[in-house]
Every structure is written in structure tokens, then in C-alpha cells.
Amino acid sequence: DAKTTQPNSMESNEEEPVHLPCNHSTISGTDYIHWYRQLPSQGPEYVIHGLTSNVNNRMASLAIAEDRKSSTLILHRATLRDAAVYYCILRDSGGGADGLTFGKGTHLIIQP
Amino acid sequence: DAGVIQSPRHEVTEMGQEVTLRCKPISGHDYLFWYRQTMMRGLELLIYFNNNVPIDDSGMPEDRFSAKMPNASFSTLKIQPSEPRDSAVYFCASSLLRATLAQFFGPGTRLTVL
């Protein structure tokens, strides 16, 4: 999988929007952008994924730059339960499923 | 759906003992993955199976580690003999075919080797 770069940590206040950035300048045309998060003492949890267009689901939104070299995960109204490590991962859609390559992720801290 | 089930949730053993971790994937999923998480190395893929067949075991640290998937609803990860450096949280995950689909993780097994 291609490499991604994320800030080590970010802090936000409860009930405010959070924008988590991810840089992936070496992304290939067949790479999907996936986001997972890991709450304390739990396994990673799928959040959202996209290819070119912005995506929305019940958990978050994913904004993808036009050149696809960066993306932003948006939590529209953060709660204390959103405090977690967020991982941005590229996955090649060219083949079948394969393992995820996790980086260090962004540790999101939510202040009440 | 019960999700991915792992057992035991916690395991404490002594160096040299055999350890067996168990995983039941989500019914109908084609792929099963074993990951390990430590503070030093983060989350690492150990091995994954497709339709019960091991596809890539390049992440298995050494011969002391082995994994099997005798049927679509059960997999084991065995460490024999165990060493203190094997202490970690071991996660099992499953997914359907296609790289675009999500992987669903179990709650993990926290292994402590004394």
C-alpha cells in the first residue's frame, strides 16, 4: 500500500466539527482511501472510504482533493466517544482483499 | 450478527508454554486476517486467509508462530514456545472479497507472556 502521512495528534472541543487531514502524494489511480479508527481498548473500526468523489455516511464525511494527493475526514459534531486513533489507509482495488497497512494514525483528543 | 468473536480475551502464560488464540469470523466472509498490536510496532498484519487457504504469511514473525483455518467459521493462531516479546494484543478480522470492502475486527486477545 502507498504511504500516508497524518499528524500525530489533534485536539478539539466537544460538539464542534473536526477535520482530520491525510496526505498521500504517491497515491495511484486504483487506490481507495480508507479510514479506520480505534477507540481505547477496542479493535479498529471501519469509518469510511472513497475513490474520487466526496463521501458521506452516518459516522463521518470524506473530502478528497481534486488531485487525490490528500483527503480530510470530517466529524461534523464530535462527541467524547469520538476520542480515538484515526488511521488513513490506501488500498489497491486492483486485486482481491488484502491486509491493511496501519501507520501511526492521528490521536484525536476531545475536550468536554 | 455477533461480529468477529475472539477467545480468550485475556491470556497470561509463562515463557515456553504453548498459546492458542481462537477466532470465529463473521458468517459468509471470505477473508480472515490476524494482526498484532504492540506499543513499539503498532498494528501489523501477520497472516491472512481466503476461503480457508493461507494467502500471505510474510508477516508471521518466526517459526514459533503458526495459523490454521480448518473451516470457514474457525481459525487459530498458535505460538509455541511463547516468549515475553510475544506479549501484545492479537486481533482477528474478516471481510468479504474485494479490497474496497471494510474489514471487521474482533475485540482482540491481550497476551502476556511472563
Side-chain angles (χ1 to χ4, degrees):
Chain A
D1 293 331
K3 185 175 172 60
T4 62
T5 305
Q6 300 177 251
N8 288 334
S9 66
M10 289 184 64
E11 199 167 314
S12 183
N13 295 319
E14 196 177 11
E15 299 189 2
E16 290 186 357
V18 179
H19 291 234
L20 296 165
C22 180
N23 287 321
H24 29 79
S25 57
T26 59
I27 190 171
S28 73
T30 56
D31 283 335
Y32 277 76
I33 303 157
H34 284 243
W35 284 82
Y36 283 74
R37 71 179 185 180
Q38 187 173 20
L39 279 64
S41 302
Q42 294 190 26
E45 173 187 31
Y46 167 81
V47 178
I48 200 167
H49 78 275
L51 183 62
T52 56
S53 304
N54 295 343
V55 183
N56 300 295
N57 66 21
R58 63 175 180 81
M59 290 180 71
S61 295
L62 177 60
I64 301 172
E66 199 168 330
D67 64 5
R68 301 208 327 124
K69 293 185 186 299
S70 65
S71 60
T72 302
L73 180 71
I74 302 165
L75 308 179
H76 294 285
R77 200 157 166 259
T79 69
L80 295 177
R81 293 188 70 250
D82 292 319
V85 179
Y86 287 78
Y87 298 97
C88 171
I89 299 169
L90 301 184
R91 302 191 71 199
D92 185 357
S93 64
D98 57 8
L100 298 172
T101 301
F102 288 86
K104 293 187 190 294
T106 296
H107 184 198
L108 177 63
I109 300 164
I110 304 295
Q111 298 288 356
Chain B
D1 196 333
V4 176
I5 299 172
Q6 291 188 247
S7 64
R9 294 293 310 277
H10 301 273
E11 176 81 31
V12 180
T13 190
E14 292 190 347
M15 183 174 63
Q17 297 298 305
E18 177 179 296
V19 175
T20 300
L21 311 182
R22 297 173 176 79
C23 175
K24 177 178 169 57
I26 293 172
S27 177
H29 280 190
D30 306 287
Y31 284 80
L32 183 138
F33 306 83
W34 283 100
Y35 293 86
R36 177 172 70 174
Q37 185 171 33
T38 62
M39 290 294 293
M40 290 293 293
R41 300 175 66 89
L43 271 158
E44 305 174 281
L45 175 69
L46 298 177
I47 185 171
Y48 74 93
F49 296 82
N50 174 219
N51 291 326
N52 313 336
V53 176
I55 301 301
D56 183 357
D57 65 355
S58 60
M60 297 285 263
E62 47 196 277
D63 292 345
R64 296 185 298 105
F65 285 69
S66 63
K68 293 183 180 179
M69 192 164 186
N71 58 62
S73 59
F74 183 66
S75 175
T76 60
L77 179 67
K78 185 177 293 187
I79 308 172
Q80 166 64 15
S82 58
E83 296 183 2
R85 60 191 167 128
D86 301 331
S87 297
V89 181
Y90 291 81
F91 291 104
C92 176
S94 69
S95 78
L96 290 167
L97 180 62
R98 284 178 49 208
T100 55
L101 293 177
Q103 289 188 13
F104 294 85
F105 285 75
T109 295
R110 181 174 294 278
L111 173 65
T112 302
V113 183
L114 302 174

